[in-house]
Amino acid sequence: MKAILFTAEEYKDEALSLAETALYDVVKIYKLPKKPNPNFYIQKDKLEEIKKLDDVDTIIVFDLLKSRHFINLNKELLGKKILDKVLLLLEIFALHAGSKEAKLQIELARMKYELPILKDLYKKTKITEQQGPLGAGVYGVESAIRLYQRRIVKIRKELEELKKIREDQIKRTNFNSIAIVGYTNAGKTTIFNYLTGLNQKVDSSMFTTTSPKRYAIPLDGKKILLVDTVGFIRGIPPQIVEAFFVTLSEAKYANALLLVLDSSLSSTLLVEMLQSSLEILRELGISGKPMIIALNKIDKNANDNELREKIDLVKELSSTLYTPVIDVIPVSALKGINMNLLRDRLLTLIQTS
């Protein structure tokens, strides 16, 4: 499907990558307005341009839209799909979701996000006594609201039951476990594949992993369960964290953590990713678990001095933000550099937990 993308310049690459991961063909990119239009968010002149484009199916605004924006855009752009950042991410998760939990979590998040829009649409339609801009009159919208509310209650009950089953399974396991966490595209799945000998899907698209992958590996005569978790993103909306709490909480149930960072990033961005990763873990209620930080993709650094500076930077900063950090290990999962060292240190990590 062809799409038009509205995004801030600093998020252009990320927004485009997400849109393409959601299988959209972005034919034009506009900058987000510095001062959003109160009725449509996007600029009125851009709206008029889009109206003339018959071959564009979807409008993606890489920000969080308000109910009135959705309602007014749908009214002006009949037949075109309107997505903001949350709905775009949920579409991506839906494409990759494997487990029943993940599918239910996605559906719940989407319905909870869309319900206030329907309620505002109902108020507006009732006042005007006209056909609703989303294709339903007063009673049609009212019926949709009741349907959403019933479905939300049912999904919550199902998720609660699945959560209890999952927690019981984790409690019964005899394995020590290490959760591999970090930002999407840092190379978590490549490290998982190297350590397990598996061949899980790895590509440059974001969110390759949206359901946790588990595999037990032998370490010094012991079996350690590795869990490859869903990747973090910058500025992750709270709705997504809530939707994937059970998936992300795999890290909460693990004995230890392996945080993967992309060492090929600039020092400034690397620091941002480290701080944000640790903040997300805190939001999930995770603290005090022993952690190893794998600085991945060291083969992409310009020289040894640049890499050494980044290693020292991560060591110094991580020690002030999280305890205990057992080690910071520079690796290249793709080239196999220092991966045996990482494997050996994982045993120390488990012994510390």
Side-chain angles (χ1 to χ4, degrees):
M1 290 188 289
K2 291 186 177 180
I4 286 177
L5 173 65
F6 285 82
T7 178
E9 186 63 34
E10 62 265 33
Y11 296 117
K12 182 178 176 181
D13 291 343
E14 180 183 350
L16 182 59
S17 177
L18 286 167
E20 290 173 347
T21 301
L23 306 181
Y24 289 103
D25 176 17
V26 177
V27 295
K28 194 170 184 62
I29 298 177
Y30 289 116
K31 287 183 180 179
L32 283 177
K34 291 181 180 179
K35 187 178 180 182
N37 182 296
N39 294 319
F40 305 104
Y41 190 100
I42 66 175
Q43 305 93 319
K44 195 67 162 54
D45 59 325
K46 300 296 188 295
L47 180 64
E48 295 303 320
E49 285 181 33
I50 294 169
K51 282 183 181 180
K52 300 171 185 175
L53 302 175
D54 296 327
D55 60 337
V56 171
D57 310 286
T58 307
I59 312 302
I60 302 169
V61 180
F62 199 62
D63 202 352
L64 304 185
L65 297 180
K66 296 183 183 299
S67 294
R68 67 175 181 273
H69 299 143
F70 280 110
I71 293 168
N72 292 330
L73 284 171
N74 272 294
K75 186 176 181 181
E76 292 291 324
L77 301 171
L78 288 174
K80 298 188 191 300
K81 185 193 292 186
I82 311 298
L83 297 177
D84 69 351
K85 185 176 181 179
V86 167
L87 292 177
L88 175 64
L89 289 170
L90 288 173
E91 282 206 359
I92 293 169
F93 283 133
L95 281 171
H96 293 279
S99 69
K100 184 178 180 181
E101 285 168 289
K103 290 174 182 176
L104 286 172
Q105 287 163 344
I106 293 160
E107 186 182 356
L108 177 63
R110 181 180 57 78
M111 297 190 96
K112 284 177 64 180
Y113 195 65
E114 291 177 348
L115 185 57
I117 302 171
L118 283 173
K119 287 180 177 179
D120 284 350
L121 175 60
Y122 174 71
K123 291 175 188 174
K124 187 172 183 178
T125 309
K126 195 172 183 181
I127 290 170
T128 59
E129 293 296 334
Q130 295 174 356
Q131 183 78 356
L134 296 183
V138 174
Y139 299 109
V141 178
E142 190 176 15
S143 175
I145 290 171
R146 287 199 299 269
L147 179 67
Y148 268 53
Q149 289 170 332
R150 286 196 299 269
R151 181 63 183 153
I152 285 171
V153 170
K154 185 177 179 183
I155 292 174
R156 278 177 170 155
K157 287 180 180 177
E158 285 187 66
L159 279 174
E160 204 52 47
E161 291 170 5
L162 287 170
K163 186 178 178 181
K164 288 176 183 175
I165 293 170
R166 168 67 61 80
E167 288 176 349
D168 288 342
Q169 288 174 340
I170 291 169
K171 287 175 184 175
R172 285 199 303 268
T173 184
N174 294 320
F175 294 141
N176 285 310
S177 61
I178 298 173
I180 305 174
V181 298
Y183 268 81
T184 183
N185 277 349
K188 297 189 304 353
T189 301
T190 308
I191 285 178
F192 178 82
N193 283 344
Y194 191 99
L195 294 172
T196 61
L198 298 178
N199 191 27
Q200 297 287 353
K201 180 184 175 185
V202 176
D203 57 39
S204 59
S205 66
M206 303 181 85
F207 299 107
T208 301
T209 302
T210 51
S211 291
K213 299 175 177 68
R214 306 172 189 83
Y215 195 79
I217 64 170
L219 282 179
D220 196 30
K222 299 178 181 179
K223 280 198 171 181
I224 308 298
L225 187 68
L226 289 183
V227 184
D228 183 17
T229 64
V230 61
F232 304 144
I233 61 164
R234 286 190 296 174
I236 187 166
Q239 296 91 338
I240 304 300
V241 173
E242 182 182 357
F244 276 80
F245 179 77
V246 175
T247 304
L248 290 171
S249 67
E250 288 284 332
K252 191 172 183 178
Y253 298 121
N255 300 96
L257 305 172
L258 174 59
L259 172 61
V260 181
L261 297 174
D262 182 352
S263 72
S264 68
L265 299 173
S266 68
S267 294
T268 302
L269 196 50
L270 185 61
V271 166
E272 182 185 328
M273 292 295 186
L274 173 59
Q275 291 174 324
S276 182
S277 295
L278 297 178
E279 186 178 331
I280 289 170
L281 292 174
R282 280 195 297 272
E283 287 175 1
L284 291 168
I286 298 170
S287 63
K289 293 182 187 292
M291 174 192 291
I292 283 178
I293 298 176
L295 267 179
N296 193 27
K297 305 185 185 181
I298 60 172
D299 53 300
K300 293 187 177 182
N301 282 266
N303 54 62
D304 291 342
N305 288 335
E306 178 186 304
L307 178 59
R308 173 48 58 188
E309 287 175 5
K310 289 178 180 177
I311 294 170
D312 291 341
L313 183 64
V314 170
K315 281 184 176 180
E316 182 180 355
L317 186 58
S318 62
S319 64
T320 63
L321 296 175
Y322 188 92
T323 302
V325 175
I326 306 303
D327 206 348
V328 176
I329 304 175
V331 302
S332 170
L334 194 62
K335 304 287 186 180
I337 302 170
N338 285 345
M339 289 302 292
N340 288 333
L341 171 62
L342 177 61
R343 186 193 298 269
D344 293 340
R345 293 298 282 151
L346 291 181
L347 183 59
T348 305
L349 186 64
I350 283 296
Q351 290 169 345
T352 311
S353 65

